[in-house]
Amino acid sequence: MAAPVDGVPDAELLRECADAAVHAVSAAAIVTRAVQRHEHRGKIDKADGSPVTIADFAAQSLVIRELTRRLGERAPGLLRVVAEESSAYLRDPAHARERRAALAAAQGVWPDARDDEFLAMIDRGASTLEGADAPKAFWTLDPIDGTKGFIRGQHYCVCLALIARGVPVVGALACPNLSLDPERPLDDIAPDERGVVLIATPNEPVFVRPADDPDSRGRPMERLRRRDDALVFCESWESSHSDQSATRRVMTVLGDRGGGVGGRLIGPPARIDSQCKYAVAARGQADVFLRRPRDPRRRDWIWDHAPGHLIASRMGLRITDAHGVACDFSRGRRLEGNHGVLAALPEVHAEVLGALATLT
Ligand code: AMP
Ligand code: MG
């Protein structure tokens, strides 16, 4: 049985990792979708005002459990996980109701889950990346990216990537409310009730699969050929997450040059929560994904970009931060050397970056 060489998985093991990742994010997609259908969508009011739901906890537990079940014997060294949530909130006796609700949600796909195991799985996501014990390869997980979108009943995704020697090598995104049909408009929420999982593995095409059936083979993803030729930008729905006026000004600068970018006119921007923006740019529903946080000191978490970055770059997009700097996943839990992101078709990336640089 092959073990990871020097902590880094070989090609065969990477394929197994990708398969485990597909099953993991699909389990989370099924459960989070069920919670999102409830009237209150599992919303929790945390004292610090940060948005979280019982689905965040259920999804984190399920993803880590699937990875453990599928890789535990094969590659126990590959089970280090750096994830967004911890069980501290649920372990507070004042939050027993939320704890029961999160466990009940997870039992939708893990019927015999016990409370202690459920919480222990969440806490396996607390690997450290510092010191002598720092792993050469680890998973990073955002159990629900776009929580505000989730609570609004719109797009969100489950995001999981394997990072080896500082570089994302396997990336899985479950987008439960995106249609399998890329021609459907983005504001059509879950029109086919299935959702998509995108998976990037080394030396294979990016695959797209239905999120409700992780055993289906899926198909290699192709970029959509849109009938209109306009260049489509996508950006955050939430204006507090990304400076929407910057996007508008970039579009105006480019439009004012006449003839648009590379001869293409500029269409209205699509606003969508979460790493679904990478997914829609990867499959050709958008051409440019721009995120410029208002705070110049803002450093994003690695789990907010790793799988989307890998999938979109494998589909041919050029990706840097909003200042043209390569995204560096090797500096701990945050992208310490980067601010924002610009993922764009290679033929327009430099021009968009140039327009961004003219903004004050
Ligand atoms: P979005 O792409 O708009 O769905 O944004 C989701 C991400 O925005 C979350 O993963 C958060 O880490 C991040 N975020 C939350 N608050 C802020 C903020 N004030 N500025 C920039 N990003 C933020
Ligand atoms: Mg997040």
Side-chain angles (χ1 to χ4, degrees):
M1 201 180 278
V5 180
D6 191 20
V8 175
D10 63 15
E12 188 193 334
L13 192 48
L14 282 173
R15 267 195 300 280
E16 288 180 39
C17 287
D19 190 53
V22 166
H23 282 85
V25 299
S26 300
I30 289 165
V31 160
T32 53
R33 164 181 288 162
V35 175
Q36 200 189 28
R37 288 204 181 112
H38 288 175
E39 191 188 347
H40 298 295
R41 305 198 166 107
K43 188 169 183 301
I44 289 174
D45 293 312
K46 265 198 183 174
D48 65 3
S50 61
V52 71
T53 72
I54 61 158
D56 290 72
F57 297 113
Q60 179 156 325
S61 185
L62 288 170
V63 167
I64 298 177
R65 175 198 181 234
E66 281 300 319
L67 293 179
T68 307
R69 262 179 6 130
R70 290 171 186 274
L71 298 171
E73 281 184 20
R74 176 90 168 89
L78 265 188
L79 287 174
R80 305 280 288 270
V81 186
V82 176
E84 182 165 20
E85 307 299 339
S86 92
S87 72
Y89 177 90
L90 297 181
R91 288 183 192 274
D92 182 336
H95 304 140
R97 195 172 56 82
E98 289 86 350
R99 176 167 164 170
R100 279 194 302 276
L103 174 63
Q107 285 168 337
V109 296
W110 180 11
D112 54 355
R114 289 196 328 254
D115 178 71
D116 55 338
E117 300 169 315
F118 170 72
L119 296 178
M121 284 297 167
I122 295 176
D123 288 333
R124 283 199 190 178
S127 273
T128 171
L129 293 178
E130 278 96 43
D133 195 30
K136 293 211 171 60
F138 64 91
W139 295 94
T140 187
L141 166 66
D142 191 344
I144 292 193
D145 182 29
T147 304
K148 289 180 182 166
F150 180 86
I151 292 167
R152 252 190 271 109
Q154 296 180 320
H155 290 291
Y156 68 97
C157 58
V158 182
C159 310
L160 178 65
L162 180 67
I163 295 184
R165 292 191 200 279
V167 177
V169 289
V170 171
L173 285 183
C175 308
N177 289 337
L178 269 188
S179 175
L180 276 162
D181 175 0
E183 302 219 35
R184 296 296 287 254
L186 293 171
D187 51 11
D188 237 351
I189 301 297
D192 42 22
E193 299 281 316
R194 304 197 72 185
V196 296
V197 167
L198 309 184
I199 177 77
T201 320
N203 307 315
E204 283 184 31
V206 175
F207 268 73
V208 55
R209 307 181 192 227
D212 60 350
D213 181 9
D215 291 316
S216 84
R217 233 193 87 58
R219 56 187 155 78
M221 187 158 78
E222 287 170 13
R223 270 188 75 80
L224 172 71
R225 285 175 208 277
R226 294 197 311 272
R227 278 181 215 107
D228 68 289
D229 190 39
L231 197 73
V232 175
F233 278 65
C234 67
E235 64 174 349
S236 286
W237 179 284
E238 295 285 336
S239 58
S240 61
H241 292 175
S242 183
D243 184 351
Q244 295 174 340
S245 76
T247 312
R248 205 168 48 241
R249 284 181 291 155
V250 163
M251 290 169 57
T252 306
V253 169
L254 296 171
D256 284 352
R257 286 185 192 156
V261 184
R264 296 175 67 176
L265 297 173
I266 300 171
R271 293 200 174 134
I272 178 167
D273 299 279
S274 80
Q275 283 176 68
C276 283
K277 290 186 278 297
Y278 282 110
V280 303
R283 66 177 189 170
Q285 290 168 287
D287 306 300
V288 179
F289 159 25
L290 174 59
R291 168 179 169 78
R292 196 172 91 142
R294 290 172 187 279
D295 181 350
R297 291 160 308 174
R298 166 88 194 178
R299 297 293 174 258
D300 286 344
W301 302 104
I302 51 174
W303 53 76
D304 283 331
H305 293 277
H309 184 283
L310 178 62
I311 288 166
S313 58
R314 290 287 308 283
M315 291 304 292
L317 274 85
R318 177 158 158 64
I319 310 180
T320 63
D321 75 1
H323 307 273
V325 178
C327 300
D328 182 357
F329 291 91
S330 73
R331 297 183 56 182
R333 291 162 69 83
R334 291 186 191 261
L335 290 152
E336 294 293 350
N338 300 111
H339 178 249
V341 74
L342 173 62
L345 290 177
E347 60 271 28
V348 304
H349 185 280
E351 212 170 332
V352 177
L353 197 59
L356 255 175
T358 66
L359 306 186
T360 47

PDB file of all heavy atoms in Angstrom, residues 84 142 144-147 303-304, ligand 2:
ATOM      1  N   GLU A  84     -12.753  26.160   8.918  1.00  0.00           N
ATOM      2  CA  GLU A  84     -13.198  27.448   9.448  1.00  0.00           C
ATOM      3  C   GLU A  84     -13.815  27.346  10.845  1.00  0.00           C
ATOM      4  O   GLU A  84     -13.598  28.216  11.683  1.00  0.00           O
ATOM      5  CB  GLU A  84     -14.209  28.079   8.489  1.00  0.00           C
ATOM      6  CG  GLU A  84     -14.667  29.443   8.972  1.00  0.00           C
ATOM      7  CD  GLU A  84     -15.369  30.278   7.918  1.00  0.00           C
ATOM      8  OE1 GLU A  84     -15.846  29.702   6.925  1.00  0.00           O
ATOM      9  OE2 GLU A  84     -15.426  31.504   8.107  1.00  0.00           O
ATOM     10  N   ASP A 142     -13.845  25.134   3.917  1.00  0.00           N
ATOM     11  CA  ASP A 142     -14.875  26.095   4.328  1.00  0.00           C
ATOM     12  C   ASP A 142     -16.208  25.355   4.189  1.00  0.00           C
ATOM     13  O   ASP A 142     -16.661  25.099   3.069  1.00  0.00           O
ATOM     14  CB  ASP A 142     -14.842  27.344   3.435  1.00  0.00           C
ATOM     15  CG  ASP A 142     -15.721  28.443   4.011  1.00  0.00           C
ATOM     16  OD1 ASP A 142     -16.556  28.144   4.887  1.00  0.00           O
ATOM     17  OD2 ASP A 142     -15.578  29.597   3.578  1.00  0.00           O
ATOM     18  N   ILE A 144     -19.331  26.098   4.757  1.00  0.00           N
ATOM     19  CA  ILE A 144     -20.274  26.894   3.963  1.00  0.00           C
ATOM     20  C   ILE A 144     -19.593  28.220   3.670  1.00  0.00           C
ATOM     21  O   ILE A 144     -19.360  29.028   4.561  1.00  0.00           O
ATOM     22  CB  ILE A 144     -21.607  27.156   4.692  1.00  0.00           C
ATOM     23  CG1 ILE A 144     -22.376  25.850   4.840  1.00  0.00           C
ATOM     24  CG2 ILE A 144     -22.443  28.166   3.894  1.00  0.00           C
ATOM     25  CD1 ILE A 144     -23.814  26.018   5.257  1.00  0.00           C
ATOM     26  N   ASP A 145     -19.249  28.406   2.412  1.00  0.00           N
ATOM     27  CA  ASP A 145     -18.721  29.688   1.983  1.00  0.00           C
ATOM     28  C   ASP A 145     -19.911  30.467   1.426  1.00  0.00           C
ATOM     29  O   ASP A 145     -20.742  29.898   0.708  1.00  0.00           O
ATOM     30  CB  ASP A 145     -17.662  29.453   0.896  1.00  0.00           C
ATOM     31  CG  ASP A 145     -17.030  30.745   0.433  1.00  0.00           C
ATOM     32  OD1 ASP A 145     -16.956  31.698   1.228  1.00  0.00           O
ATOM     33  OD2 ASP A 145     -16.602  30.808  -0.734  1.00  0.00           O
ATOM     34  N   GLY A 146     -19.992  31.749   1.796  1.00  0.00           N
ATOM     35  CA  GLY A 146     -21.163  32.523   1.370  1.00  0.00           C
ATOM     36  C   GLY A 146     -22.322  32.317   2.338  1.00  0.00           C
ATOM     37  O   GLY A 146     -23.470  32.172   1.913  1.00  0.00           O
ATOM     38  N   THR A 147     -22.027  32.300   3.633  1.00  0.00           N
ATOM     39  CA  THR A 147     -23.102  32.048   4.618  1.00  0.00           C
ATOM     40  C   THR A 147     -24.239  33.062   4.471  1.00  0.00           C
ATOM     41  O   THR A 147     -25.406  32.712   4.643  1.00  0.00           O
ATOM     42  CB  THR A 147     -22.516  32.095   6.053  1.00  0.00           C
ATOM     43  OG1 THR A 147     -21.445  31.154   6.112  1.00  0.00           O
ATOM     44  CG2 THR A 147     -23.548  31.708   7.089  1.00  0.00           C
ATOM     45  N   TRP A 303      -8.996  28.973   2.884  1.00  0.00           N
ATOM     46  CA  TRP A 303     -10.151  28.169   2.483  1.00  0.00           C
ATOM     47  C   TRP A 303     -11.162  28.973   1.668  1.00  0.00           C
ATOM     48  O   TRP A 303     -12.055  28.410   1.075  1.00  0.00           O
ATOM     49  CB  TRP A 303     -10.828  27.525   3.694  1.00  0.00           C
ATOM     50  CG  TRP A 303     -11.200  28.491   4.799  1.00  0.00           C
ATOM     51  CD1 TRP A 303     -12.258  29.357   4.796  1.00  0.00           C
ATOM     52  CD2 TRP A 303     -10.512  28.670   6.044  1.00  0.00           C
ATOM     53  NE1 TRP A 303     -12.269  30.066   5.971  1.00  0.00           N
ATOM     54  CE2 TRP A 303     -11.213  29.667   6.762  1.00  0.00           C
ATOM     55  CE3 TRP A 303      -9.390  28.083   6.617  1.00  0.00           C
ATOM     56  CZ2 TRP A 303     -10.826  30.094   8.036  1.00  0.00           C
ATOM     57  CZ3 TRP A 303      -9.005  28.510   7.887  1.00  0.00           C
ATOM     58  CH2 TRP A 303      -9.712  29.499   8.588  1.00  0.00           C
ATOM     59  N   ASP A 304     -10.997  30.307   1.663  1.00  0.00           N
ATOM     60  CA  ASP A 304     -11.903  31.121   0.844  1.00  0.00           C
ATOM     61  C   ASP A 304     -11.496  31.149  -0.618  1.00  0.00           C
ATOM     62  O   ASP A 304     -12.199  31.742  -1.444  1.00  0.00           O
ATOM     63  CB  ASP A 304     -11.952  32.559   1.377  1.00  0.00           C
ATOM     64  CG  ASP A 304     -12.817  32.669   2.619  1.00  0.00           C
ATOM     65  OD1 ASP A 304     -13.757  31.873   2.748  1.00  0.00           O
ATOM     66  OD2 ASP A 304     -12.539  33.542   3.463  1.00  0.00           O
TER      67      ASP A 304
HETATM   68 MG    MG B   2     -16.300  31.436   4.599  1.00  0.00          MG
END
